[in-house]
């Protein structure tokens, strides 16, 4: 896989305890292109990067997310380790986008996700533009197909944007869920998509119509907060009940720029971390979540590593709850 690179171990560093008190001391590095790696028998999480902002560029956004994965790794590595001794944390490398070939990067990402699932790990992907979603979803789908598990995959997206733009003029970071919807239709499969945090000032009327036509479950940002938690919990649990597996994707530009300035499309009108953590706990407690990604980390616009720290804290929460 020519666009795959193992991660430099030096990126994982921090305080030294010699007692695995920090995640950089806990993590194990693997090269997923190597053969002969046995499946993990105990609980295992695998970090995989997607170093690509070609989709953002095509979508007329601010480039820089290509450097997102390593920025997140550097903040995550310093955090304390509360994992049990029999839980494995893996660093699985990065998929690069070479020669602006985003589609090839997405194919390699899909293969890598399938590989991590075959190894009985829980993949945690870090990007990179939200075009990560198309490769990620296909990796899950290909894995389930290969194991003859004809199951329904529900997508839960924390985001200000639907990312349901038509790809008639090409694929980009705003088209992944439209692409997935079209693929599912061709394969006579259900398209189950829930968006949390959608803003009217970030999506055109036609995108709302597309979402309606595709039966997308939509929670607008004005109701995506702790004041509406009870109603939100009911809708979230109803969606989860209707599917067999959950693929969770978090676009950092859905957060208010007070929390996440380091993104392509920052806005002060986004949501807060607290409501996302509440929802993640509900999703994880369902035991249906098969994989997670965090997209649109753009270090070029970050302040004091604030956005990278937010992404790392979200991962830390998923690892430990």
């Amino acid at each position: 896989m020519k666009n795959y690179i193992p991660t430099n171990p030096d990126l994982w560093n921090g305080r030294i305890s010699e007692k695995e008190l920090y995640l950089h001391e806990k993590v194990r590095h693997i090269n997923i292109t190597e053969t002969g790696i046995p499946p993990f028998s105990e609980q295992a999480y695998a970090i995989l990067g997607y170093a690509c902002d070609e989709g953002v560029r095509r979508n007329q956004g601010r480039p820089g997310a290509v450097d997102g994965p390593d920025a997140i790794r550097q903040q995550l590595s310093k955090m304390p380790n509360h994992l049990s001794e029999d839980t494995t944390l893996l660093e699985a490398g990065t998929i690069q986008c070479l020669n602006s070939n985003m589609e090839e990067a997405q194919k390699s990402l899909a293969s890598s996700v399938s590989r991590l699932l075959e190894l009985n790990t829980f993949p945690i992907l870090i990007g990179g533009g939200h075009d990560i979603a198309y490769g990620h979803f296909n990796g899950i789908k290909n894995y389930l197909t290969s194991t003859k598990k004809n199951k329904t995959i529900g997508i839960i997206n924390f985001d200000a944007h639907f990312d349901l733009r038509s790809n008639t003029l090409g694929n980009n970071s705003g088209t992944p869920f439209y692409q997935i919807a079209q693929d599912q239709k061709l394969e006579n499969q259900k398209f189950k998509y829930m968006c949390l945090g959608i803003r009217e000032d970030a999506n055109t009327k036609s995108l709302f119509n597309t979402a309606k036509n595709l039966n997308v479950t939509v929670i607008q940002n004005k109701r995506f907060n702790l004041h509406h938690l009870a109603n939100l919990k009911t809708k979230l649990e109803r969606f989860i009940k209707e599917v067999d597996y959950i693929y969770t994707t978090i676009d950092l530009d859905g957060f208010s720029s007070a929390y996440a300035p380091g993104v392509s499309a920052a806005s002060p009108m986004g949501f807060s971390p607290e409501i996302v953590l509440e929802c993640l706990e509900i999703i994880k407690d369902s035991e249906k979540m098969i994989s997670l990604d965090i997209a649109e980390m753009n270090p070029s616009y970050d302040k004091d590593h604030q956005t990278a720290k937010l992404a790392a804290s979200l991962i830390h929460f998923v690892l430990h709850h």
Side-chain angles (χ1 to χ4, degrees), residues 11-12 17 20 22 37 44 53 67 78 85 100 113 139 143 149 153 155 212 245 251 264 268 270 291-292 312 319:
L11 282 172
W12 287 82
S17 72
E20 293 192 351
Y22 301 96
I37 302 174
D53 58 10
D67 297 317
K78 303 172 186 177
E85 288 186 9
S100 300
V113 169
Y143 164 75
K149 296 179 180 178
I153 307 168
I155 304 167
K212 183 178 180 180
Y245 292 98
D251 189 325
S264 173
S291 199
L292 167 79
L319 290 174

Side-chain angles (χ1 to χ4, degrees), residues 16 21 62 70 134 148 150 195 218 245 279 292 311:
I16 305 297
L21 294 181
R62 303 188 297 180
D70 285 350
Y134 187 66
K148 296 182 171 51
N150 187 22
C195 294
V218 181
Y245 292 98
C279 292
L292 167 79

Side-chain angles (χ1 to χ4, degrees), residues 275-293:
I275 190 61
V276 175
L277 295 180
E278 291 285 350
C279 292
L280 282 175
E281 193 157 27
I282 294 168
I283 297 168
K284 193 158 188 197
D285 285 349
S286 74
E287 299 184 350
K288 289 187 177 182
M289 185 160 65
I290 191 172
S291 199
L292 167 79
D293 66 44

